[in-house]
């Protein structure tokens, strides 16, 4: 970064630090999300923000090789005690945390000691893929749904108003904290499983969507603790039950036009919009290792549970792995697609970056979607099942030239090593043992 840019950033950090201190904020949590899908943190005094913006905060690169249980593996490019990185906060995302009085938060990008981009930085990967789309004149709007389950739970019915009444103070505080932090909440409601809720936020740029996924989750966690509740974000809380998803909504744009609508293709898609989605659909077996990366993910990914267990797409079909939504006929801006097979174990930066890479590959190939599926694919038949285990998904991932090229060898191989090690970690464990070991980790 040029010295002039650094000076401008430091000056802005001084202003932000003064504002934070004046508001009673004494610490800033700086987060990155590792290959195990866990938000790791370094915290600094708010008054030190200018120094952090100028020089960064040290952090070991070994976190690229951490597993969900805090043990570690290694790859050609990661693991071991050697080396150091610098964490640089994104001041555009700096947020005073309503759920944690006295604290603020910012996501970080990771650089080496010489100022070069760390090739294993997941957030920089998401930005590279966003920039790659921009080089073609394309932009994406993305947003994650966040599902979680609180304990102790109450017995209100699925999707029932009774759940809101029983936990009205809690749900109200979650919503209030998010709104106070400037999060554009679309809806919040009870979900299927006992004690389960979901919040959806407005779409934004891909990196921003991943940042919001982190902020929303940690806000929910903070408010839950204040209410004496334990939030579980794992893919499955109880084996055999319906799990937590982290569905990703996306739309493709060019020159202010939504390419998922207003066209003359099926369901009013444009040709480029269809090719992008066709690339995502074709890559789903490999993308599953990114978006459903835990052994627990495959306890959730069961047919006939609205989890998207089959490699197919359909109009408003909640059993399809890729669900297409047209929106109202007079609102082409609302058209989007939902990747339903992703869950909260995913690193959101890797998820958005990998989906963009797959979609751009579909554009390059001028790919076309197959016929859409109506009804439950487990019943109507004829569509391939997505991988039913992490090792199976990992075989597709490691064979994907598209994802290897997009991620680069250091990130690609470190991620694969973590996935392989977690698969081995839980080998031979019962479904409930896997659920118990992972439900509270994310």
């Amino acid at each position: 970064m040029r010295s002039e840019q650094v000076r401008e950033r430091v000056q802005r950090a001084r202003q932000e630090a003064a504002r934070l201190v004046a508001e009673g904020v004494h610490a800033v949590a700086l987060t990155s999300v590792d290959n195990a899908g866990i938000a790791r943190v370094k915290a600094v005094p708010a008054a030190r923000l200018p120094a952090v913006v100028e020089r960064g905060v040290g952090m070991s690169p070994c976190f690229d090789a951490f597993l969900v249980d805090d043990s570690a593996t290694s790859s050609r490019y990661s693991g071991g005690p050697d080396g150091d990185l610098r964490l640089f906060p994104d001041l555009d995302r700096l947020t005073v945390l309503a759920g944690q009085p006295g604290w603020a938060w910012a996501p970080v990008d990771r650089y080496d000691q010489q100022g070069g981009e760390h090739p294993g930085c997941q957030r920089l990967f998401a930005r590279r893929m966003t920039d790659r789309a921009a080089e073609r004149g394309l932009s994406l709007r993305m947003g994650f749904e966040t599902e979680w389950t609180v304990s102790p739970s109450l017995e209100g019915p699925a999707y029932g108003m009774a759940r809101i009444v029983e936990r009205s103070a809690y749900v109200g505080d979650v919503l209030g904290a998010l709104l106070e932090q400037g999060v554009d909440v679309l809806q919040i409601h009870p979900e299927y499983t006992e004690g389960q809720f979901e919040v959806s936020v407005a779409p934004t740029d891909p990196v921003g969507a991943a940042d919001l996924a982190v902020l929303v989750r940690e806000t929910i966690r903070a408010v839950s603790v204040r209410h004496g509740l334990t939030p579980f974000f794992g893919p499955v809380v109880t084996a055999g039950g319906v799990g937590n998803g982290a569905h990703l909504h996306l739309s493709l744009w060019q020159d202010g036009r939504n390419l998922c609508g207003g066209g003359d293709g099926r369901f009013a898609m444009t040709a480029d919009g269809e090719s992008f989605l066709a690339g995502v659909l074709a890559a789903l077996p490999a993308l599953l290792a990114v978006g459903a990366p835990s052994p627990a993910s495959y306890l959730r990914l069961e047919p006939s549970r609205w989890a998207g267990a089959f490699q197919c797409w359909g109009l408003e079909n909640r059993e399809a792995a890729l669900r297409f939504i047209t929106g109202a006929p007079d609102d082409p801006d609302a058209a989007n697609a939902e990747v339903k097979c992703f869950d909260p174990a995913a690193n959101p930066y890797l998820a958005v970056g990998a989906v963009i890479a797959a979609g751009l590959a579909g554009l390059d190939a001028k790919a076309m979607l197959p016929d859409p599926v109506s009804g439950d694919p487990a019943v109507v038949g004829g569509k391939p099942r997505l991988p039913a285990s992490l090792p199976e998904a990992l075989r597709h991932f490691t064979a994907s030239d598209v994802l290897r090229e997009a991620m680069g060898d250091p990130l690609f191989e470190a991620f694969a090593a973590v996935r392989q090690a977690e698969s081995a970690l839980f080998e031979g464990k019962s479904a409930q043992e896997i659920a118990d070991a992972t439900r509270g980790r994310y």
Side-chain angles (χ1 to χ4, degrees):
M1 186 179 296
R2 295 195 305 257
S3 58
E4 181 181 345
Q5 291 176 307
V6 173
R7 284 195 298 270
E8 290 175 354
R9 283 171 48 83
V10 171
Q11 178 58 33
R12 179 181 174 191
R14 290 194 185 102
Q15 296 169 352
E16 294 286 7
R19 175 180 68 87
L20 294 178
V21 171
E23 293 179 11
V25 173
H26 53 72
V28 182
L30 308 176
T31 61
S32 60
V33 184
D34 67 12
N35 289 321
I38 294 175
R40 309 287 181 176
V41 67
K42 287 289 186 83
V44 299
R48 277 193 50 80
L49 193 59
V52 171
V53 165
E54 183 175 16
R55 298 295 181 185
V57 176
M59 192 175 195
S60 171
C62 72
F63 286 99
D64 288 333
F66 266 42
L67 310 187
V68 69
D69 69 341
D70 298 333
S71 63
T73 185
S74 63
S75 72
R76 266 199 304 167
Y77 302 94
S78 64
D82 300 319
D84 199 16
L85 298 173
R86 309 304 293 177
L87 309 181
F88 287 92
D90 186 339
L91 293 179
D92 289 338
R93 309 293 187 187
L94 182 65
T95 303
V96 176
L97 295 176
Q100 294 171 253
W103 284 79
W105 164 87
V108 300
D109 295 319
R110 298 187 294 158
Y111 290 80
D112 62 28
Q113 293 283 23
Q114 289 71 45
E117 294 185 356
H118 175 47
C121 180
Q122 297 86 355
R123 191 169 187 266
L124 288 174
F125 163 64
R127 180 173 290 118
R128 286 198 307 273
M129 293 304 101
T130 303
D131 291 344
R132 186 176 289 188
E135 290 167 1
R136 301 169 179 236
L138 300 170
S139 63
L140 287 109
R141 296 183 187 176
M142 292 182 160
F144 286 94
E145 298 175 3
T146 299
E147 294 181 355
W148 76 102
T149 304
V150 293
S151 178
S153 61
L154 299 174
E155 295 183 357
Y159 309 102
M161 181 61 187
R163 290 253 191 100
I164 296 294
V165 173
E166 291 163 349
R167 293 290 188 204
S168 60
Y170 168 64
V171 176
D173 282 354
V174 169
L175 178 59
L178 292 172
L179 294 176
E180 189 175 336
Q181 291 167 179
V183 177
D184 188 358
V185 176
L186 298 178
Q187 60 179 340
I188 186 168
H189 62 270
E191 263 285 344
Y192 185 85
T193 296
E194 189 173 293
Q196 188 180 44
F197 296 91
E198 177 186 302
V199 63
S200 300
V201 301
T204 185
D205 66 280
V207 178
D211 288 337
L212 275 175
V214 176
L215 177 61
V216 167
R217 189 176 306 185
E218 298 310 322
T219 301
I220 292 167
R221 196 188 313 276
V223 174
S224 299
V225 169
R226 279 172 33 200
H227 279 261
L229 301 171
T230 301
F232 294 125
F233 296 97
V236 168
V237 174
T238 302
V242 174
N244 294 318
H247 308 158
L248 174 62
H249 287 260
L250 65 107
S251 55
L252 184 69
W253 293 71
Q254 187 172 51
D255 298 328
R257 179 190 179 196
N258 184 359
L259 301 184
C260 290
D264 54 9
R266 283 177 292 187
F267 308 125
M269 283 187 228
T270 67
D272 284 348
E274 176 172 352
S275 290
F276 189 94
L277 296 181
V280 174
L281 180 64
L284 276 182
L287 290 173
L288 210 59
V290 178
S294 167
S297 301
Y298 299 86
L299 304 179
R300 169 188 171 268
L301 203 63
E302 290 287 340
S304 304
R305 291 187 182 177
W306 291 12
F310 289 85
Q311 188 182 7
C312 62
W313 76 287
L315 177 65
E316 296 287 12
N317 187 339
R318 288 174 172 79
E319 279 293 345
L322 187 66
R323 171 179 171 242
F324 188 73
I325 305 110
T326 61
D330 62 345
D331 187 12
D333 288 356
N336 72 94
E338 177 187 20
V339 183
K340 292 190 62 66
C341 49
F342 287 4
D343 67 51
N347 180 314
Y349 302 101
L350 292 180
V352 299
V355 165
I356 294 171
L360 293 179
L363 275 171
D364 287 340
K366 298 187 183 303
M368 296 182 65
L369 288 166
D371 290 338
V373 170
S374 178
D376 187 346
V379 176
V380 301
K383 295 300 177 183
R385 174 79 188 270
L386 284 171
S389 70
L390 179 55
E392 185 183 353
L394 190 57
R395 286 193 292 272
H396 288 279
F397 175 82
T398 55
S400 173
D401 293 335
V402 168
L403 294 182
R404 178 181 284 274
E405 183 279 328
M407 295 171 76
D409 284 350
L411 177 55
F412 184 90
E413 293 188 17
F415 178 79
V418 169
R419 301 274 62 83
Q420 289 166 345
E422 287 196 3
S423 181
L425 179 68
F426 292 104
E427 187 174 2
K429 301 292 186 182
S430 71
Q432 191 57 52
E433 287 174 327
I434 295 170
D436 289 343
T438 56
R439 63 185 182 179
R441 298 296 291 174
Y442 302 103

